[in-house]
Amino acid sequence: MNLTPPPLSLYVHVPWCVQKCPYCDFNSHALKGEIPQAEYIDALLEDLAQDRARYLADDNRPLHSIFIGGGTPSLIAPAQIARLLQGIQAQIPFAEDIEITMEANPGTLESAPILQYRQAGITRLSLGVQSFANDKLNLLGRIHQSDEAKVAIEQALKAGFNSVNVDLMHGLPSQTPAQALSDLDQLIALKPPHVSWYQLTIEPNTLFASKPPVLPDDDDLWDIYELGQKKLEAAGYQRYETSGFSQPGYQCKHNLNYWRFGDYLGIGCGAHGKISHADGAITRTVKVKHPKGYLDSGRDYLSQEIPVPVSERPFEFMMNRLRLIEPCPHRDYSERTGLNDDTIAVQLNQAKALGYIVDVTDSTGVDCWQVTDKGALFLNDLLELFLADEDDVDADSER
């Protein structure tokens, strides 16, 4: 089995927040004192060194993108972020056009630090705004107010980043369609190049799961979704994945690499990674979750190393790739999974019969699969078609 090495990215997790939001199921921990910033950066760089020795010994791929997520990475000082990026580059070369994203909370930023993060090497800032209505921000446990969010967006746009993303939620507790669309209008007026616009969902093991708020009904959610997409499109934003909208040329390279089943190392508390090997194997990794354990010098950073069986690769590939609006070249499936198209022929025929997928040829003449509007609407049903049966994929079909 042969795999074509995909682009290589790096995810860096910063686990601390000022406080835990009631909807958040990410690996984040409310502050209980000062963050051990220098110690944590040292640990991240050693974590990377171990991953590099373990997975990239004979691999010369440069880093395609870096994403510093959380938690709240903007709790880390710009000088420490600069040291982190310098340490990463000393271990793995950067592609000339590397994208380096950092998530930030408007409540932890001031105008000077925003510019300092750009000077530290961040090329793309992602601001977790979520709403411009103060009552909704309070319900969501956010530590910023609407005016602070708008100032942070304006300052970020002036600081010289290659791109700025704003996260905005809809379907918030007791939110009307008019309120949700007002949030969107205020965001569009600020003209960020990229918008992540997604519906609030109640996740297990969150405060909202134990004390569920009253959410809009299905009719209101549909109105918000349909009218909101039209607003974004009219303002020049192109939807390129499930909840990602960008002005032309401002798609998130890091997320595209995820959805195209690319490779990425994951360093930091609870970070996940996925690496393809020259022998055709694919490995997923998970790091130690809690900061105390992660910073224990006597413990390995790696918590789990999980091989991706051949039988699960069709679903893994499609679960990522079908988030994207763009057509999927047939060759991507074989290059990223090591499997021939006939390993999913039955599922593709079912998806086509249900109107979820059609065959298309892109502008360069390459044969592709394209998710239809119906397929995007019933994405979970579409993905279920590719779940592995009890029997493994026929080894004779491997490339």
Side-chain angles (χ1 to χ4, degrees), residues 179-247:
Q179 291 171 336
L181 296 174
S182 173
D183 268 355
L184 205 51
D185 283 335
Q186 292 178 72
L187 177 57
I188 290 170
L190 293 165
K191 300 181 179 179
H194 191 285
V195 176
S196 296
W197 187 62
Y198 55 98
Q199 182 180 321
L200 170 65
T201 55
I202 306 301
E203 301 291 349
N205 303 315
T206 63
L207 183 59
F208 274 175
S210 61
K211 298 179 179 180
V214 177
L215 300 181
D217 62 31
D218 288 345
D219 288 341
D220 281 349
L221 288 173
W222 177 252
D223 287 344
I224 293 168
Y225 174 78
E226 188 173 43
L227 295 171
Q229 282 209 78
K230 290 179 179 177
K231 277 186 178 291
L232 286 163
E233 290 169 2
Y237 291 92
Q238 301 171 347
R239 182 183 179 214
Y240 68 95
E241 58 111 343
T242 302
S243 57
F245 298 79
S246 75
Q247 295 173 356

Coordinates of all heavy atoms in Angstrom, one line a residue, residues 179-247:
Q179 N -32.5 38.9 15.9 CA -31.3 39.1 16.7 C -30.1 38.4 16.1 O -29.0 39.0 16.1 CB -31.6 38.5 18.1 CG -32.6 39.3 19.0 CD -32.9 38.7 20.3 OE1 -32.8 37.4 20.4 NE2 -33.4 39.4 21.2
A180 N -30.3 37.2 15.6 CA -29.2 36.5 15.0 C -28.7 37.2 13.8 O -27.5 37.3 13.5 CB -29.6 35.0 14.6
L181 N -29.6 37.7 13.0 CA -29.2 38.4 11.7 C -28.6 39.7 12.0 O -27.8 40.2 11.3 CB -30.4 38.5 10.8 CG -31.0 37.1 10.3 CD1 -32.3 37.3 9.5 CD2 -29.9 36.4 9.5
S182 N -29.0 40.3 13.1 CA -28.4 41.6 13.5 C -26.9 41.4 13.9 O -26.1 42.2 13.5 CB -29.2 42.2 14.8 OG -28.5 43.3 15.3
D183 N -26.6 40.3 14.6 CA -25.2 39.9 14.9 C -24.5 39.8 13.6 O -23.3 40.3 13.5 CB -25.2 38.6 15.6 CG -25.2 38.7 17.1 OD1 -25.2 39.8 17.6 OD2 -25.3 37.7 17.8
L184 N -25.0 39.2 12.6 CA -24.4 39.0 11.3 C -24.2 40.3 10.6 O -23.1 40.5 10.0 CB -25.2 38.0 10.5 CG -24.4 37.2 9.4 CD1 -23.2 36.5 10.0 CD2 -25.4 36.1 8.8
D185 N -25.2 41.2 10.6 CA -25.1 42.5 10.0 C -23.9 43.3 10.6 O -23.1 43.9 9.9 CB -26.4 43.3 10.1 CG -27.5 42.8 9.2 OD1 -27.1 42.2 8.1 OD2 -28.6 43.0 9.5
Q186 N -23.8 43.2 11.9 CA -22.7 44.0 12.6 C -21.4 43.4 12.2 O -20.4 44.2 12.1 CB -23.0 43.9 14.1 CG -24.2 44.7 14.6 CD -24.4 44.6 16.1 OE1 -23.7 45.2 16.9 NE2 -25.4 43.9 16.5
L187 N -21.3 42.1 12.1 CA -20.0 41.5 11.7 C -19.6 41.9 10.3 O -18.5 42.3 10.0 CB -20.1 40.0 11.9 CG -18.9 39.2 11.4 CD1 -17.6 39.7 12.2 CD2 -19.1 37.7 11.6
I188 N -20.6 41.8 9.4 CA -20.3 42.1 8.0 C -19.9 43.5 7.8 O -19.0 43.8 7.0 CB -21.6 41.8 7.1 CG1 -21.8 40.3 7.0 CG2 -21.5 42.4 5.7 CD1 -23.1 39.9 6.4
A189 N -20.4 44.4 8.6 CA -20.1 45.8 8.5 C -18.6 46.1 8.9 O -18.0 47.0 8.4 CB -21.0 46.7 9.5
L190 N -18.0 45.2 9.7 CA -16.6 45.3 10.1 C -15.7 44.7 9.0 O -14.5 45.0 9.1 CB -16.4 44.6 11.4 CG -17.1 45.3 12.6 CD1 -17.1 44.4 13.8 CD2 -16.4 46.6 13.0
K191 N -16.2 43.9 8.1 CA -15.5 43.4 6.9 C -14.2 42.5 7.2 O -13.1 42.7 6.6 CB -15.0 44.6 6.0 CG -16.2 45.3 5.5 CD -15.8 46.5 4.6 CE -17.0 47.2 4.0 NZ -16.6 48.4 3.1
P192 N -14.3 41.6 8.2 CA -13.2 40.6 8.3 C -13.1 39.8 7.1 O -14.1 39.4 6.5 CB -13.6 39.8 9.6 CG -15.1 39.9 9.6 CD -15.5 41.2 9.1
P193 N -11.9 39.3 6.7 CA -11.8 38.5 5.5 C -12.4 37.1 5.6 O -12.7 36.4 4.7 CB -10.3 38.4 5.3 CG -9.7 39.5 6.1 CD -10.6 39.7 7.2
H194 N -12.5 36.6 6.9 CA -13.0 35.2 7.1 C -14.0 35.2 8.3 O -13.8 35.9 9.3 CB -11.8 34.3 7.4 CG -12.1 32.8 7.4 ND1 -12.8 32.2 8.4 CD2 -11.8 31.9 6.5 CE1 -12.9 30.9 8.1 NE2 -12.4 30.7 7.0
V195 N -15.0 34.4 8.1 CA -16.1 34.3 9.2 C -16.3 32.8 9.4 O -16.5 32.0 8.4 CB -17.4 34.9 8.7 CG1 -18.5 34.7 9.8 CG2 -17.2 36.4 8.5
S196 N -16.3 32.4 10.7 CA -16.8 31.0 11.0 C -18.1 31.2 11.7 O -18.2 31.8 12.8 CB -15.8 30.4 12.0 OG -14.5 30.1 11.4
W197 N -19.2 30.8 11.0 CA -20.5 31.1 11.5 C -21.2 29.8 11.7 O -21.5 29.0 10.8 CB -21.3 31.9 10.4 CG -22.6 32.4 10.8 CD1 -22.9 33.2 11.8 CD2 -23.9 32.1 10.2 NE1 -24.3 33.5 11.9 CE2 -24.9 32.8 10.9 CE3 -24.2 31.3 9.1 CZ2 -26.2 32.7 10.5 CZ3 -25.6 31.2 8.7 CH2 -26.6 31.9 9.4
Y198 N -21.5 29.4 13.0 CA -22.0 28.1 13.3 C -23.0 28.1 14.4 O -23.1 29.1 15.2 CB -20.8 27.2 13.7 CG -19.9 27.7 14.8 CD1 -20.1 27.2 16.1 CD2 -18.9 28.6 14.6 CE1 -19.4 27.7 17.1 CE2 -18.1 29.1 15.6 CZ -18.4 28.6 16.9 OH -17.6 29.1 18.0
Q199 N -23.8 27.1 14.4 CA -24.9 27.0 15.3 C -24.5 26.4 16.7 O -23.7 25.5 16.7 CB -26.0 26.1 14.7 CG -27.3 25.9 15.6 CD -28.3 25.0 14.9 OE1 -28.5 25.0 13.7 NE2 -28.9 24.2 15.7
L200 N -24.9 27.0 17.7 CA -24.7 26.5 19.1 C -25.3 25.1 19.2 O -26.5 24.9 18.9 CB -25.3 27.4 20.1 CG -25.3 26.9 21.6 CD1 -23.9 26.7 22.1 CD2 -26.1 27.8 22.5
T201 N -24.5 24.1 19.6 CA -25.0 22.8 19.9 C -24.7 22.5 21.4 O -23.7 22.9 21.9 CB -24.4 21.7 19.0 OG1 -23.0 21.8 19.1 CG2 -24.8 22.0 17.6
I202 N -25.6 21.7 22.0 CA -25.4 21.3 23.4 C -24.6 20.0 23.4 O -25.1 19.0 23.0 CB -26.7 21.2 24.1 CG1 -27.6 22.4 24.0 CG2 -26.5 20.8 25.6 CD1 -27.0 23.7 24.5
E203 N -23.4 20.1 23.9 CA -22.5 19.0 24.0 C -22.5 18.3 25.3 O -22.7 19.0 26.4 CB -21.0 19.4 23.6 CG -20.9 20.1 22.3 CD -21.1 19.2 21.1 OE1 -21.1 17.9 21.3 OE2 -21.2 19.7 20.0
P204 N -22.3 17.0 25.4 CA -22.2 16.3 26.7 C -21.1 16.8 27.5 O -20.1 17.4 27.1 CB -21.9 14.8 26.3 CG -22.3 14.7 24.8 CD -22.1 16.1 24.2
N205 N -21.3 16.7 28.8 CA -20.2 17.1 29.8 C -19.9 18.6 29.8 O -18.8 19.0 30.0 CB -18.9 16.3 29.6 CG -19.1 14.8 29.6 OD1 -19.8 14.3 30.5 ND2 -18.6 14.1 28.6
T206 N -21.0 19.4 29.5 CA -20.9 20.8 29.6 C -21.9 21.3 30.6 O -22.9 20.6 30.9 CB -21.1 21.5 28.3 OG1 -22.4 21.2 27.8 CG2 -20.1 21.0 27.2
L207 N -21.8 22.5 31.1 CA -22.8 23.1 32.0 C -24.1 23.2 31.3 O -25.2 22.9 31.9 CB -22.3 24.5 32.5 CG -23.2 25.2 33.5 CD1 -23.4 24.3 34.7 CD2 -22.7 26.5 33.9
F208 N -24.2 23.6 30.0 CA -25.4 23.6 29.3 C -26.1 22.3 29.2 O -27.3 22.2 29.1 CB -25.2 24.2 27.9 CG -25.2 25.7 27.8 CD1 -25.0 26.4 26.6 CD2 -25.5 26.5 28.9 CE1 -25.0 27.8 26.6 CE2 -25.6 27.9 28.9 CZ -25.3 28.5 27.7
A209 N -25.3 21.2 29.2 CA -25.9 19.8 29.1 C -26.6 19.5 30.4 O -27.7 18.8 30.4 CB -24.8 18.8 28.8
S210 N -26.0 20.0 31.5 CA -26.7 19.7 32.8 C -27.8 20.6 33.1 O -28.8 20.3 33.8 CB -25.6 19.7 33.9 OG -25.1 21.0 34.0
K211 N -27.8 21.8 32.6 CA -28.8 22.8 32.8 C -29.1 23.4 31.4 O -28.7 24.6 31.1 CB -28.4 23.9 33.7 CG -28.1 23.4 35.1 CD -27.6 24.5 36.0 CE -27.3 24.0 37.5 NZ -26.9 25.1 38.4
P212 N -29.9 22.7 30.6 CA -30.1 23.1 29.2 C -30.9 24.5 29.1 O -31.9 24.6 29.7 CB -30.9 22.0 28.6 CG -30.7 20.8 29.5 CD -30.5 21.4 30.8
P213 N -30.4 25.4 28.3 CA -31.1 26.6 28.1 C -32.2 26.4 27.0 O -32.2 25.4 26.4 CB -30.0 27.6 27.5 CG -29.1 26.7 26.8 CD -29.1 25.4 27.6
V214 N -33.1 27.4 26.9 CA -34.1 27.3 25.9 C -33.6 27.9 24.6 O -33.1 29.0 24.5 CB -35.3 28.2 26.3 CG1 -36.4 28.2 25.2 CG2 -35.9 27.7 27.6
L215 N -33.5 27.0 23.6 CA -33.0 27.3 22.3 C -34.1 27.6 21.3 O -35.2 27.2 21.5 CB -32.1 26.2 21.8 CG -30.9 25.8 22.7 CD1 -30.0 24.7 22.0 CD2 -30.0 27.1 22.9
P216 N -33.8 28.3 20.2 CA -34.8 28.6 19.2 C -35.3 27.3 18.6 O -34.6 26.2 18.6 CB -34.0 29.3 18.1 CG -32.8 29.9 18.8 CD -32.5 29.0 19.9
D217 N -36.6 27.3 18.2 CA -37.2 26.1 17.6 C -36.6 25.9 16.2 O -35.9 26.7 15.6 CB -38.7 26.1 17.6 CG -39.3 27.3 16.8 OD1 -38.7 27.7 15.7 OD2 -40.4 27.8 17.1
D218 N -37.0 24.7 15.6 CA -36.4 24.3 14.3 C -36.8 25.3 13.2 O -35.9 25.6 12.3 CB -36.9 22.9 13.9 CG -36.2 21.8 14.8 OD1 -35.2 22.1 15.5 OD2 -36.8 20.7 14.8
D219 N -38.0 25.8 13.2 CA -38.4 26.8 12.2 C -37.5 28.1 12.2 O -37.0 28.6 11.2 CB -39.8 27.2 12.3 CG -40.8 26.0 11.9 OD1 -40.3 25.1 11.2 OD2 -41.9 26.1 12.3
D220 N -37.3 28.6 13.5 CA -36.4 29.7 13.6 C -35.0 29.4 13.2 O -34.3 30.3 12.6 CB -36.5 30.3 15.1 CG -37.7 31.1 15.3 OD1 -38.4 31.4 14.4 OD2 -38.0 31.4 16.5
L221 N -34.5 28.3 13.6 CA -33.1 27.9 13.2 C -33.0 27.8 11.7 O -31.9 28.3 11.2 CB -32.8 26.5 13.9 CG -32.6 26.5 15.4 CD1 -32.4 25.1 15.9 CD2 -31.3 27.4 15.8
W222 N -34.0 27.3 11.0 CA -33.9 27.2 9.6 C -33.9 28.6 9.0 O -33.1 28.9 8.0 CB -35.0 26.4 9.0 CG -35.0 26.3 7.5 CD1 -35.8 26.9 6.6 CD2 -34.0 25.7 6.7 NE1 -35.4 26.7 5.3 CE2 -34.3 25.9 5.4 CE3 -32.9 24.9 7.0 CZ2 -33.6 25.4 4.3 CZ3 -32.1 24.4 5.9 CH2 -32.5 24.6 4.6
D223 N -34.7 29.5 9.5 CA -34.8 30.9 9.0 C -33.5 31.6 9.1 O -33.0 32.3 8.2 CB -35.9 31.7 9.7 CG -37.3 31.2 9.2 OD1 -37.4 30.6 8.2 OD2 -38.3 31.6 9.9
I224 N -32.9 31.4 10.3 CA -31.6 32.0 10.6 C -30.5 31.5 9.6 O -29.8 32.3 9.0 CB -31.1 31.7 12.1 CG1 -32.0 32.5 13.0 CG2 -29.7 32.2 12.3 CD1 -31.9 32.0 14.5
Y225 N -30.5 30.2 9.5 CA -29.5 29.5 8.6 C -29.7 30.0 7.1 O -28.7 30.4 6.5 CB -29.7 28.0 8.7 CG -28.8 27.2 7.7 CD1 -27.5 27.0 7.9 CD2 -29.4 26.7 6.6 CE1 -26.7 26.3 7.1 CE2 -28.6 25.9 5.7 CZ -27.3 25.7 5.9 OH -26.5 25.0 5.0
E226 N -30.9 30.0 6.6 CA -31.1 30.3 5.2 C -30.9 31.8 4.9 O -30.2 32.2 4.0 CB -32.6 29.9 4.8 CG -32.9 30.0 3.4 CD -34.3 29.5 3.1 OE1 -35.2 29.8 3.8 OE2 -34.4 28.8 2.0
L227 N -31.4 32.7 5.8 CA -31.3 34.1 5.6 C -29.9 34.6 5.8 O -29.3 35.5 5.2 CB -32.3 34.9 6.5 CG -33.8 34.6 6.2 CD1 -34.6 35.3 7.2 CD2 -34.1 35.2 4.8
G228 N -29.2 33.9 6.8 CA -27.8 34.3 7.1 C -26.9 34.0 6.0 O -26.0 34.8 5.7
Q229 N -27.1 32.8 5.4 CA -26.2 32.4 4.2 C -26.4 33.4 3.1 O -25.4 33.8 2.5 CB -26.5 31.0 3.7 CG -25.9 29.9 4.6 CD -25.7 28.7 3.8 OE1 -24.7 28.6 3.0 NE2 -26.5 27.7 3.9
K230 N -27.6 33.8 2.9 CA -27.9 34.8 1.8 C -27.2 36.1 2.1 O -26.6 36.8 1.2 CB -29.4 35.0 1.6 CG -30.1 33.8 1.0 CD -31.6 34.1 0.8 CE -32.3 32.8 0.2 NZ -33.7 33.0 0.1
K231 N -27.2 36.6 3.4 CA -26.5 37.8 3.8 C -25.0 37.7 3.5 O -24.4 38.6 3.0 CB -26.8 38.1 5.2 CG -28.1 38.8 5.5 CD -28.1 39.2 7.0 CE -29.4 39.9 7.3 NZ -29.5 41.3 6.7
L232 N -24.4 36.6 3.9 CA -23.0 36.4 3.7 C -22.6 36.4 2.3 O -21.6 37.0 1.8 CB -22.5 35.2 4.4 CG -22.5 35.3 6.0 CD1 -22.4 33.9 6.6 CD2 -21.3 36.1 6.4
E233 N -23.4 35.7 1.5 CA -23.1 35.6 0.0 C -23.2 37.0 -0.6 O -22.4 37.4 -1.5 CB -24.0 34.6 -0.6 CG -23.7 33.1 -0.2 CD -24.8 32.2 -0.6 OE1 -25.8 32.6 -1.3 OE2 -24.7 31.0 -0.3
A234 N -24.3 37.7 -0.2 CA -24.5 39.1 -0.8 C -23.3 40.0 -0.4 O -23.1 41.0 -1.2 CB -25.8 39.6 -0.3
A235 N -22.7 39.8 0.7 CA -21.6 40.6 1.2 C -20.2 40.1 0.6 O -19.2 40.7 0.9 CB -21.5 40.6 2.7
G236 N -20.2 39.1 -0.3 CA -19.0 38.7 -0.9 C -18.3 37.5 -0.2 O -17.2 37.2 -0.6
Y237 N -18.9 36.9 0.7 CA -18.3 35.8 1.4 C -18.7 34.5 0.7 O -19.9 34.2 0.5 CB -18.7 35.7 2.9 CG -18.2 36.8 3.7 CD1 -18.9 38.0 3.9 CD2 -16.9 36.7 4.3 CE1 -18.3 39.1 4.6 CE2 -16.4 37.8 5.1 CZ -17.1 38.9 5.2 OH -16.6 40.0 6.0
Q238 N -17.8 33.6 0.4 CA -18.0 32.4 -0.2 C -18.0 31.3 0.8 O -17.0 31.2 1.6 CB -17.0 32.1 -1.3 CG -16.9 33.1 -2.4 CD -15.7 32.9 -3.3 OE1 -14.8 32.2 -3.0 NE2 -15.8 33.6 -4.4
R239 N -19.0 30.4 0.9 CA -19.0 29.3 1.8 C -18.1 28.2 1.2 O -18.4 27.8 0.1 CB -20.4 28.8 2.0 CG -20.5 27.6 3.0 CD -21.9 27.1 3.1 NE -22.0 26.0 4.0 CZ -22.9 25.0 3.9 NH1 -23.7 25.0 2.8 NH2 -22.9 24.0 4.7
Y240 N -17.1 27.8 1.9 CA -16.2 26.7 1.4 C -16.2 25.5 2.2 O -15.6 24.5 1.8 CB -14.8 27.3 1.1 CG -14.0 27.6 2.4 CD1 -13.2 26.7 3.0 CD2 -14.2 28.8 3.0 CE1 -12.4 26.9 4.1 CE2 -13.4 29.1 4.2 CZ -12.6 28.2 4.7 OH -11.9 28.4 5.9
E241 N -16.8 25.5 3.4 CA -16.9 24.3 4.2 C -18.2 24.5 5.1 O -18.8 25.5 5.0 CB -15.7 24.0 5.0 CG -15.2 25.1 5.9 CD -15.4 24.7 7.4 OE1 -16.2 23.7 7.7 OE2 -14.8 25.3 8.2
T242 N -18.5 23.5 5.9 CA -19.7 23.5 6.6 C -20.1 24.8 7.3 O -21.2 25.3 7.2 CB -19.7 22.4 7.7 OG1 -19.5 21.1 7.0 CG2 -21.0 22.3 8.4
S243 N -19.1 25.4 8.0 CA -19.4 26.7 8.7 C -18.3 27.7 8.4 O -18.3 28.7 9.1 CB -19.4 26.4 10.2 OG -18.2 25.8 10.7
G244 N -17.6 27.6 7.3 CA -16.5 28.5 7.0 C -16.9 29.3 5.8 O -17.3 28.8 4.7
F245 N -16.8 30.7 5.9 CA -17.1 31.6 4.9 C -15.9 32.5 4.7 O -15.3 33.0 5.7 CB -18.3 32.4 5.2 CG -19.6 31.6 5.3 CD1 -19.8 30.9 6.5 CD2 -20.5 31.6 4.3 CE1 -21.0 30.2 6.6 CE2 -21.7 30.8 4.4 CZ -21.9 30.1 5.6
S246 N -15.5 32.8 3.5 CA -14.3 33.7 3.3 C -14.5 34.6 2.1 O -15.2 34.2 1.2 CB -13.0 33.0 3.2 OG -12.9 32.4 2.0
Q247 N -13.9 35.8 2.1 CA -13.7 36.5 0.9 C -12.8 35.8 0.0 O -12.0 35.0 0.5 CB -13.2 37.9 1.3 CG -14.2 38.7 2.1 CD -13.7 40.1 2.5 OE1 -12.5 40.4 2.3 NE2 -14.5 40.9 3.2

